[in-house]
Amino acid sequence: MGHYGHGLSLLTGWLPVAIPAVTAAVLLVALVRRAGRRWYLVWLPVAAVVGLAASLLVREQVTADGLTDDPAPVVLWIWIGVAVGAAVVAVVGWRRTPWWRRTLSILAVPLAVLCVASVLNQWVGYYPTVQEAWGAATAGPLPDEVDDAQLASLASASTRPAHGALLGVDIPATASGFTHREEYVYLPPAWFTGSDHHPALPALMMVGGEFNTPADWIRTGNALDVVDGYAAAHGGLTPILVFVDSGGSFNNDTQCVNGPRGNSADHLTEDVRPSVVSRFGASAEPASWGVVGWSMGGTCAVDLAVMHPELFGTFEDIAGDLGPAVGGKDETISRLYGGNAAAWARFDPLTVLAAHGRYADTAGWFEDSSGGGPGSGPGGRPGFAFRGGPRRPTGSGFGGQADPGAEGSEPQEAAQLCTAMTAQGIACTLHTTPGGHTWQVAATSFADAFPWLVGRVQGGTGVGTAQTTSTAGVPAAAAAVAPTGPTAPAGNTGGATAGGTTS
């Protein structure tokens, strides 16, 4: 099966430049040399004002809803205004207009919308290539994906497969009642024993970002490349990976809590985890389970770990927030919890930590972007190695421009959480990766932490003391904290060294 990351880049090269260039040319021809002064004095200004108003309205809504910590690129708001203005032009300029100009006016609207999508994609690095975008749009096969019959055949074979298998699963929402999409379970080569008896492997729950599908970590986060590569170097032994649906639909931002948007927390803890244990024989021990999340998913990882130490002993928070949020505290209580302030407190990590007392054996890895440039390869790191050798660089999303050392930035909030956790016996480390708030940074961060995650969940053991790197504005007390578990498994060569990458 071909690997993701190859193909015509949507993040760098000629295509992201050609799309707005062609759109601007079509718009220019559609707008100029129109007959009558009324067009230039009335209708064209009307289209511009409506486009500007629409752009400001969308920007205000995004800010009010707290949809992103990183500031969006200015060009995004410009193209939103252009798209709306182009639609107005197509309508008001329809009469007394030649057919070819009408055609161009209509064509300019989807082209401007395509520019909005292109800038959004460049911002977060969602689809690095045309092929990946097409595969997602057409529900193309995922790496290592098998169906039930193929899985049964692999499980009964006398030889172990060269790499793991990915199975789409429909986990009953018996406990939560949460309406969700198909989720995925990755089974490493060590799971296949040629019989019905499978080893009680550890497991990692993988949670995506705010607007997500369960396949995001697979298509865009390159998780299977990292895991299969590690398995190839370690006798086929890695944790089971569970790619969960925390939203139920692409635009339903649950923040992994229970509330009017659905009982997402109950689904993850009371539906998904027990199902993976019972169906695939995963270990039920809390020390054998970890949670990994990016952006909103990072917030979820922290929340699940501090609320449920009886279920999860390890977490990786990649660019998460201080707690579940969809705006300020009042907006969050209203939108996420239906006005129930007690529910907000129940899911607020700092409140939970203060009330819980000391934790017995929980550890976490915080990794945030340094706010640097996009880099030249996936994750902003040239030559990033995957199964099958280094990938051809396809660029990285550029993310926002927030100052990592600013008050309320993700590194600052990670340091605040880590300090509070240390006071309650949770070992945690702080790491940074060059780049912005993008999927490429998420992919690199997961690869950085994966050997540590494996060490933590395999047999309930962890790696030795990790040396963290301080970031601007991170309190020294938090930056000095390091996990205190035992050393990593012998022969551990996968991923980056403990301590992450620095800008």
Side-chain angles (χ1 to χ4, degrees):
M1 178 161 308
H3 302 301
Y4 286 80
H6 295 289
L8 184 59
S9 177
L10 287 170
L11 303 179
T12 60
W14 65 268
L15 186 58
V17 177
I19 293 172
V22 170
T23 304
V26 170
L27 270 171
L28 184 63
V29 175
L31 290 175
V32 302
R33 299 181 65 84
R34 296 236 182 186
R37 295 177 61 190
R38 184 177 178 83
W39 168 253
Y40 295 100
L41 296 178
V42 178
W43 295 121
L44 196 55
V46 165
V49 169
V50 172
L52 177 61
S55 177
L56 293 175
L57 181 63
V58 172
R59 185 176 183 276
E60 177 63 26
Q61 190 62 43
V62 168
T63 302
D65 287 348
L67 296 182
T68 176
D69 291 324
D70 287 356
V74 175
V75 70
L76 174 64
W77 313 122
I78 293 174
W79 278 117
I80 290 174
V82 169
V84 175
V88 175
V89 165
V91 173
V92 301
W94 190 262
R95 296 181 60 190
R96 301 188 184 92
T97 303
W99 67 268
W100 61 268
R101 197 183 293 275
R102 290 179 178 178
T103 301
L104 289 178
S105 298
I106 294 173
L107 179 61
V109 178
L111 282 175
V113 173
L114 182 60
C115 288
V116 174
S118 177
V119 173
L120 273 172
N121 186 63
Q122 284 183 289
W123 182 25
V124 300
Y126 200 77
Y127 297 121
T129 68
V130 172
Q131 286 82 343
E132 291 181 63
W134 178 254
T138 59
L142 295 163
D144 297 342
E145 187 172 9
V146 299
D147 57 26
D148 287 317
Q150 292 169 318
L151 180 66
S153 177
L154 287 171
S156 61
S158 58
T159 58
R160 178 181 291 178
H163 52 80
L166 182 74
L167 180 69
V169 293
D170 182 14
I171 296 175
T174 306
S176 68
F178 184 68
T179 302
H180 62 89
R181 296 160 290 184
E182 184 179 47
E183 296 165 303
Y184 298 92
V185 172
Y186 166 88
L187 301 167
W191 186 83
F192 297 90
T193 60
S195 70
D196 292 334
H197 301 287
H198 304 286
L201 295 175
L204 295 176
M205 184 177 289
M206 307 292 293
V207 190
E210 191 165 327
F211 299 102
N212 70 84
T213 73
D216 287 350
W217 266 112
I218 306 165
R219 292 192 186 277
T220 311
N222 301 319
L224 295 196
D225 283 312
V226 172
V227 179
D228 268 342
Y230 187 92
H234 294 82
L237 182 60
T238 73
I240 294 170
L241 265 60
V242 191
F243 301 94
V244 299
D245 185 9
S246 62
S249 62
F250 184 79
N251 61 345
N252 185 34
D253 179 16
T254 66
Q255 298 282 310
C256 299
V257 306
N258 295 336
R261 299 179 180 183
N263 293 331
S264 177
D266 285 352
H267 175 62
L268 301 180
T269 58
E270 299 181 27
D271 295 330
V272 173
R273 191 184 186 282
S275 177
V276 174
V277 170
S278 63
R279 180 174 177 182
F280 300 104
S283 171
E285 295 298 317
S288 299
W289 273 80
V291 192
V292 177
W294 174 67
S295 193
M296 183 226 34
T299 310
C300 298
V302 168
D303 231 12
L304 289 171
V306 300
M307 291 182 67
H308 297 286
E310 79 284 1
L311 300 179
F312 306 99
T314 303
F315 70 88
E316 183 187 11
D317 172 1
I318 306 171
D321 291 328
L322 193 61
V326 288
K329 180 178 177 180
D330 291 341
E331 290 87 356
T332 298
I333 291 174
S334 174
R335 295 166 183 167
L336 270 186
Y337 304 106
N340 187 341
W344 175 89
R346 188 161 68 90
F347 286 96
D348 176 61
L350 291 177
T351 304
V352 173
L353 284 165
H356 184 276
R358 293 191 66 81
Y359 289 71
D361 184 23
T362 300
W365 176 300
F366 291 93
E367 191 148 354
D368 293 284
S369 60
S370 66
S376 59
R381 180 188 298 174
F384 193 54
F386 293 91
R387 188 182 74 202
R391 282 187 178 168
R392 179 170 61 85
T394 55
S396 171
F398 51 76
Q401 304 300 319
D403 178 6
E407 186 70 24
S409 68
E410 288 157 3
Q412 279 280 348
E413 293 183 341
Q416 185 177 349
L417 283 167
C418 193
T419 299
M421 289 178 175
T422 304
Q424 300 292 14
I426 297 178
C428 53
T429 54
L430 302 170
H431 309 257
T432 58
T433 294
H437 193 86
T438 69
W439 263 110
Q440 285 69 49
V441 165
T444 299
S445 299
F446 176 63
D448 286 344
F450 189 69
W452 177 82
L453 291 164
V454 173
R456 279 285 305 175
V457 299
Q458 279 188 351
T461 63
V463 300
T465 300
Q467 298 301 314
T468 64
T469 50
S470 178
T471 58
V474 175
V481 178
T484 57
T487 57
N492 181 356
T493 59
T497 58
T501 57
T502 59
S503 57

